[in-house]
Amino acid sequence: MSKDVVLVIGAGGQIGTVLSEALRAVYGVANVICSDINQPRGSVIGYFEKLDVVDAKRLKEIVQKYKVTQIYHLAALLSATGEKNPQLAWKVNMEGLMNVLEIARQHNIKKIFHPSSIAVFGGHTPKKNTPQSTILEPETMYGITKKAGEDLGNYYFAKYGVDVRGIRYPGIISYQSLPGGGTTDYAVDIFHKAIAGEAFECFLKEGTQLPMMYMPDAVRATLELMEAPVEKLSQHYAYNLHAMSFAPEEIAAEIKKHIPDFTVNYKPDFRQQIAESWIETIDDSVARSDWGWKHEYDLSSMTIDMITNLRKLQKTKAYDETKFL
Ligand code: SER
């Protein structure tokens, strides 16, 4: 059994919920400390600590109390919420990251995971098959904080040897948890409407293609990157990863194969502009050659798995808890 003690920050979020469970399977329930700004609604498995990552003192207390050796820092304001309150997005995303990097430097934390995002790309980035090294001119505050985070991660690695690793996550689709405040969130909401037998109103236009990934692939990618020998990593902070890319009408057509009455109407809002500043497809050959990344789910297999699992969940009380986390 590994002696690592892992702290997950933002454990109640879309990725944190599922990643914490995967980490408990690897490190043991007693060695995974979940933390979040919100108290969990349901019963807690293992240790939970309330934490606002902007509070450096509280973060230090938790790290010392449990003798933490690895941190997965997932707490952030995403693209759509960030555009509503850019100053808060900067504060939470940047001060939070700085606190995590500083605690890692001062307490010899072995490894840090902190995600970047496709939001680092901007209108001048090549939209198709976007290379690993390319133009990064983000147009949202979220993207600006993610780009600055990539630079800061690289800096802490080069200057202090803090082993900080990251992935440019695309939109993540999951049945276990709901996203919040992102531009890719529609690709999860659409399933909840479809299985409820309701029409879906999409806040993006037809033809708006974005990179996406199913949660099992995202979690596996995260664990595999963190396990990879450091000497194999040509990038530290921000691997491009590909799994699938689709526009709203393509996912709708895929869902209709299983739920033929399903309908979608399109009512684009401010998130359309955010989506248009991002890319359509991404080249992840560096991740594939550095640490053997390979996706498993495409649009069709993800859709089948989402519908099957949501239908199972729908019959349980847990479904309402998932929906209203
Ligand atoms: N899912 C994120 C968002 O839409 C992108 O990283 O903001």
Side-chain angles (χ1 to χ4, degrees), residues 182-196:
T183 302
T184 55
D185 296 10
Y186 90 86
V188 178
D189 298 341
I190 195 169
F191 282 101
H192 287 271
K193 289 289 184 212
I195 67 146

Side-chain angles (χ1 to χ4, degrees), residues 94-155:
M94 295 316 301
E95 284 183 26
L97 177 58
M98 204 51 188
N99 287 344
V100 170
L101 291 172
E102 272 299 286
I103 202 88
R105 179 176 75 81
Q106 291 160 11
H107 290 259
N108 290 321
I109 304 281
K110 281 199 254 172
K111 285 183 209 169
I112 306 284
F113 179 80
H114 178 253
S116 186
S117 159
I118 53 165
V120 293
F121 303 122
H124 296 114
T125 310
K127 274 201 178 303
K128 293 196 193 302
N129 218 18
T130 306
Q132 176 70 50
S133 293
T134 186
I135 300 165
L136 304 183
E137 293 174 355
E139 294 170 28
T140 59
M141 181 54 90
Y142 173 63
I144 289 169
T145 64
K146 287 296 174 188
K147 182 187 171 209
E150 289 189 5
D151 293 340
L152 205 51
N154 284 328
Y155 182 83

